[in-house]
Amino acid sequence: MSLPSWEAWTCVWGSRIGDTLNYLYSIPHSIATAILSFLHINLPQLNYLLTWVIASIILLVVVMVNVIILIYVERKELGRFMDRRGPFVVGPAGFFQNFADAFKFLIKEMILPENADGLGFNSTLVIVVASSMLIMAVVPQAPDFYYTNTDLGLLLAFAIFAIEPFAVVIAGWASNNKYSLLGGFRSTAQMMSYEVPMLITVLSVVVLAGTFNFTQIVNYQASHVWFVVPLIIGFIVFLISIVAEIERIPFDTPDAEAELVHGWMTEYAGIKFALFQLTSYVRSFAGAAIMVLIFLGGWTGPILPPILWFYIKVYAVFTLFVWMRASLPRVRIDQVLNLGWRSLLPLSLVNMLIAAFLKIYGGVFHL
Amino acid sequence: MSIELIGFIIVAAAALVLALMMVLSPEIVHSALYFAGVLIAIAVLFFLMNAVYVGIIQILIYVGAVVVLILFGIMLTRRNILLG
C-alpha cells in the first residue's frame, strides 16, 4: 500500500491561497520557529507538529473565552427578558459570576454512583466534550483566522455534530437511573430526527453555492446575495433544527428539569456536570457560527474588520436563541417528533426544490 | 521509518485492539462503545490515505446512525437497570 508523502500532509495549511495571511498559522509558526532555533534543532516535521499544537491551544482559548462571554450574555439577556437584572454582584456588572460558579463546581466531590457502569459513565464524558470542541476546528472565523480550510468543511462539521448522540444514550444507560435512561433515549431520538431536515437544508445551500468549502460559500454570498433572502424557508427550518440539535429550551425535552430532573445528566456531579454544561454552550457557539456562515453572509460587512463582523453576527444569532428560550414554552416529546418528521422534512424538501429552481432559472437574484 | 508509517501503525493498532476488545467484552453495551471506536479509527485511516470524503461519510453514517440503531436494539431487548 502507498501512503501520501510528507508534503501531502503539510498541504492542509500550505497550499491554500492567502495562507500567509492566516494568523492562526503564522503566529504559531513564528513561535515554534523561535523555540526550535533557541534549542538549535532543525527538523521541519517537529516544527510542523509544534505549530499544530500551539495553534490548537490558541483556538481552544479563543473558543473558551467566547463560551464564557456567551454564558454571561445569556444570563444578562435572560434577566432582562424576565424583567430582572441578572448577575451583578461578582466583579464588574457581574461578569465574574461564571468563574465563581466554576470554582463552586470544582470543589464539589466527583461522585460515581454505586451501581453505575464506570467505563460508560466516564468515557462518554470524554467523547461528548472532545467531539464538541472539535467542531470549531473546521469552522473558519475570518478569511485570515481559521484552523483548517478543507474542501469538505461543511460536511465535516455536521459529521462531528453527529458523533454525540450515541455517547449520550450510553451515558444515560451507564448512570443506572431511569430518568437518565429516558433522557438519553429522548436526546438521541430528537437529534437523529432533526438531523435529516437540517442536512437537506444545508444541501440546498450547497446546490446554490456549488461547494462544501466555508470560505467559498461566504465569498459566493458576498458577490451575489445572502442565502437568507432566496432560501428564507430553509433559514427558518435550519434555525428550528439547530436549536433542537443543541437542545436549547423550546426543545430541551432530553434534560427537562421539571419532568426528568436534567435527563441524562442527572447522575453527573461537580466538574463533570460543569463540563457538560460548557459543552452545550460550545455547541451553541458552533451552531450559531455555522448559521452565520451559510445563511447570513459570514464575515462580510462594511467598514469593520471581518472577524468583528463575524462575532457581531454570531452574538446576534445567539441573542435570537436566548429570545426563543425566554418566550417559548417547552415542546412536548411527542410533538417534537411530529414537528420534525411531518412539518420540517416537507418544508426542507420544498426549500430544496426552490434552490434547484433558482440554480437553473436564477436570473432574478443573479444566482 | 517515515513519520507517515508511524501514524498509520498507531491508528491501525488502535483499530485492531478496539476490535478485539469489542469481541471479548462481556458487557454488550461496552461492545457497542468499542465498535464506535473501531469505526472512528477506520475513518482516520481513510483520512490518512487522503480519502477525506469516504472518511466523513463513514463517521456520518456509521457512528451517527448505525451505532445508535444497534444501541436502540440492545436497550429494547434486555435491561437490568436498578438491579445490583
Side-chain angles (χ1 to χ4, degrees):
Chain A
M1 62 173 292
S2 71
L3 286 162
S5 66
W6 175 253
E7 285 72 26
W9 279 27
T10 52
C11 81
V12 174
W13 271 329
S15 70
R16 294 272 162 201
I17 300 162
D19 264 356
T20 50
L21 295 175
N22 183 7
Y23 293 123
L24 204 48
Y25 174 73
S26 59
I27 294 174
H29 183 69
S30 53
I31 294 174
T33 312
I35 291 174
L36 289 182
S37 67
F38 181 72
L39 296 173
H40 298 292
I41 300 169
N42 187 20
L43 275 174
Q45 283 96 340
L46 196 61
N47 192 339
Y48 180 71
L49 198 68
L50 203 57
T51 308
W52 190 45
V53 170
I54 295 171
S56 311
I57 293 170
I58 291 176
L59 182 77
L60 192 65
V61 169
V62 167
V63 173
M64 285 298 111
V65 168
N66 269 299
V67 165
I68 291 168
I69 299 173
L70 279 185
I71 297 173
Y72 174 71
V73 164
E74 167 155 30
R75 287 180 149 182
K76 270 297 193 195
E77 285 177 349
L78 209 54
R80 278 307 175 194
F81 280 122
M82 294 174 178
D83 206 9
R84 56 189 172 84
R85 291 185 60 190
F88 62 92
V89 175
V90 190
F95 185 73
F96 293 128
Q97 184 68 47
N98 299 327
F99 296 91
D101 286 348
F103 282 123
K104 191 196 80 176
F105 278 126
L106 272 173
I107 60 174
K108 296 275 183 189
E109 186 187 359
M110 281 200 292
I111 300 168
L112 178 66
E114 193 181 354
N115 289 330
D117 178 56
L119 177 77
F121 195 78
N122 291 322
S123 66
T124 48
L125 175 75
V126 178
I127 294 170
V128 169
V129 173
S131 70
S132 302
M133 304 274 176
L134 197 59
I135 301 171
M136 284 312 291
V138 297
V139 177
Q141 306 185 12
D144 51 4
F145 193 88
Y146 56 82
Y147 190 77
T148 57
N149 186 18
T150 62
D151 279 338
L152 293 166
L154 189 51
L155 205 55
L156 192 52
F158 285 104
I160 301 170
F161 251 111
I163 292 181
E164 198 194 359
F166 95 89
V168 167
V169 71
I170 290 181
W173 174 85
S175 301
N176 200 17
N177 177 337
K178 52 187 176 238
Y179 296 116
S180 302
L181 189 65
L182 274 177
F185 273 134
R186 283 184 177 192
S187 170
T188 310
Q190 177 177 322
M191 281 190 199
M192 285 190 72
S193 53
Y194 278 80
E195 216 149 75
V196 179
M198 192 169 73
L199 281 175
I200 293 175
T201 315
V202 168
L203 204 62
S204 68
V205 170
V206 172
V207 163
L208 278 188
T211 172
F212 276 113
N213 188 325
F214 276 116
T215 313
Q216 288 174 17
I217 289 174
V218 171
N219 289 342
Y220 189 89
Q221 293 179 71
S223 60
H224 294 77
V225 63
W226 290 5
F227 286 142
V228 66
V229 178
L231 301 177
I232 182 70
I233 301 174
F235 179 74
I236 294 166
V237 170
F238 190 81
L239 176 66
I240 297 172
S241 305
I242 201 83
V243 170
E245 188 82 0
I246 60 185
E247 294 178 355
R248 289 185 63 83
I249 257 188
F251 294 97
D252 75 330
T253 43
D255 54 316
E257 290 98 338
E259 40 186 300
L260 286 186
V261 281
H262 253 293
W264 53 279
M265 289 186 273
T266 305
E267 300 290 345
Y268 287 88
I271 192 64
K272 294 181 184 172
F273 180 71
L275 278 173
F276 272 133
Q277 290 293 319
L278 190 87
T279 302
S280 82
Y281 281 93
V282 173
R283 291 172 81 83
S284 303
F285 181 58
I290 291 173
M291 198 155 114
V292 164
L293 286 172
I294 66 176
F295 282 111
L296 298 174
W299 48 73
T300 53
I303 304 171
L304 295 173
I307 186 128
L308 214 54
W309 268 114
F310 178 78
Y311 281 116
I312 288 171
K313 287 174 181 176
V314 166
Y315 281 92
V317 169
F318 188 74
T319 304
L320 189 62
F321 290 170
V322 178
W323 191 2
M324 288 170 74
R325 171 178 180 166
S327 52
L328 293 176
R330 180 180 302 127
V331 186
R332 233 170 42 220
I333 180 66
D334 54 331
Q335 293 170 339
V336 165
L337 297 184
N338 272 345
L339 183 67
W341 289 107
R342 292 196 185 150
S343 307
L344 294 183
L345 189 59
L347 276 179
S348 66
L349 289 173
V350 167
N351 178 59
M352 184 74 210
L353 210 63
I354 292 173
F357 185 79
L358 285 176
K359 184 70 180 174
I360 301 171
Y361 306 105
V364 184
F365 295 107
H366 305 287
L367 285 166
Chain B
M1 185 182 281
S2 65
I3 197 159
E4 304 88 58
L5 195 60
I6 296 172
F8 171 76
I9 287 172
I10 290 172
V11 180
L16 276 178
V17 170
L18 282 169
L20 269 181
M21 285 164 82
M22 175 185 87
V23 177
L24 299 177
S25 162
E27 182 70 68
I28 195 162
V29 177
H30 291 178
S31 295
L33 194 62
Y34 295 134
F35 183 50
V38 173
L39 294 171
I40 292 176
I42 291 172
V44 174
L45 283 185
F46 282 130
F47 287 148
L48 288 186
M49 291 180 218
N50 274 352
V52 184
Y53 187 77
V54 186
I56 290 172
I57 296 301
Q58 169 99 11
I59 291 177
L60 198 61
I61 303 294
Y62 281 86
V63 183
V66 170
V67 174
V68 174
L69 277 182
I70 289 173
L71 275 170
F72 270 5
I74 293 168
M75 305 232 171
L76 289 177
T77 50
R78 185 177 62 85
R79 179 74 208 109
N80 53 2
I81 191 168
L82 297 179
L83 298 178

